[in-house]
Amino acid sequence: MFADYSLAELGSIFVMQGFAGLILFSVFVLMALGLAIIFGQMGVINMAHGEFMILGAYVTYFTSQFFLNYIPSLFGAYFFLAMILAFFAAGALGMAVEWLMIRRLYKRPLDTLLATWGLSLILQQLYRTVFGPREVGVELPNWMMGSLPVSEMVEVQINGLFVMALTIAITVAVALLMYKSSWGKQVRAVVQNRVMAGAVGIDTEKVDRYTFGLGCGIAGVAGSAFTMIGSTGPTSGQLYIVDTFLVVVFGGAQSLLGTIASAFTISQAQSTMEFFLSGSMAKVLTLLGVVIILMLRPQGLFVIKVRR
């Protein structure tokens, strides 16, 4: 298999494959970050997480069409506005869902799983009715197109670099929010001891609503990034929901660092094996490896101490 390649060509191929793994890592982190916040803080298994992501993708698509048709001179900057709109659209829908449905199902994980699964079906049908059954693609600005040469044989995609930079920015922002802000202290207090947090005056219901909205908002931003690597359709979110839950569970449900480490491990393992095997076989072997590790360490890679 490798006899026809020189050492320089093999090195270039492995570098390109590693960069592809970093792009996949960035997508996994963006998708899993919101779910990790919701699942870790509230214990809610949100099976509709993919649909919140696709809402962000649709918002990005229609924003691009608006700029393309009405403000073509500013088309190069539409993506930044689209990400903001996607965050608020998905976040607002998430807060509404928490107030109307999720808050009545706390401490009933099976019920929340079934309810959010039903919600995902409703949202899929709603998207199909409102936006149509066909998949749509977002036209990227010119500055996102093409690639940057690293060497004579290695080039990296500009939109991939943008996704990686976006992932770093959002991860840092979430870390600062959770560990440096007063609201983040309230969230961590509720995670460690909900009853005592309520006893000292923290509005736990309000914390839950904003937390669910934040997680769904991040999913909306992930949907914006998703438009760079794939088309958008009513059921596109279901293609990534398994990988998202896999990243969260493998890393440790209540650990931000665990989510990042898990996403990196899974993405690099899958990307590397795709070089030697087919994509489906690489995914199967990655899943098998994660299952074996979880059998030996059910709590995931990282775990935080929680007062009961």
Side-chain angles (χ1 to χ4, degrees), residues 95-203:
M95 292 178 67
V97 167
E98 196 280 336
W99 183 73
L100 291 171
M101 182 177 70
I102 300 298
R103 69 190 180 106
R104 309 172 193 278
L105 300 175
Y106 287 132
K107 297 182 180 181
R108 295 159 60 184
L110 182 59
D111 290 344
T112 58
L113 186 150
L114 293 174
T116 54
W117 178 66
L119 176 64
S120 72
L121 298 179
I122 293 173
L123 290 177
Q124 288 176 35
Q125 188 58 45
L126 181 63
Y127 296 159
R128 187 176 288 108
T129 302
V130 175
F131 304 129
R134 293 184 177 181
E135 294 186 347
V136 295
V138 171
E139 184 173 347
L140 297 177
N142 290 332
W143 62 270
M144 283 189 182
M145 306 295 287
S147 58
L148 295 176
V150 177
S151 67
E152 293 182 358
M153 303 180 64
V154 178
E155 293 183 349
V156 295
Q157 297 175 340
I158 295 176
N159 58 357
L161 292 174
F162 181 82
V163 172
M164 292 167 60
L166 177 64
T167 301
I168 293 173
I170 292 179
T171 303
V172 171
V174 170
L176 291 175
L177 181 65
M178 298 299 292
Y179 294 102
K180 297 297 182 180
S181 69
S182 59
W183 181 79
K185 292 179 181 178
Q186 293 182 16
V187 172
R188 288 184 287 124
V190 173
V191 170
Q192 292 188 7
N193 195 319
R194 178 178 293 271
V195 176
M196 185 59 69
V200 298
I202 296 176
D203 189 343

Side-chain angles (χ1 to χ4, degrees), residues 1 11 18 21 23 34 64 72 95 115 130 160 173 196 204-205 207 220 224 276:
M1 176 179 178
I23 296 177
S64 70
M95 292 178 67
V130 175
M196 185 59 69
T204 57
E205 292 186 359
V207 169
S224 290
F276 301 98

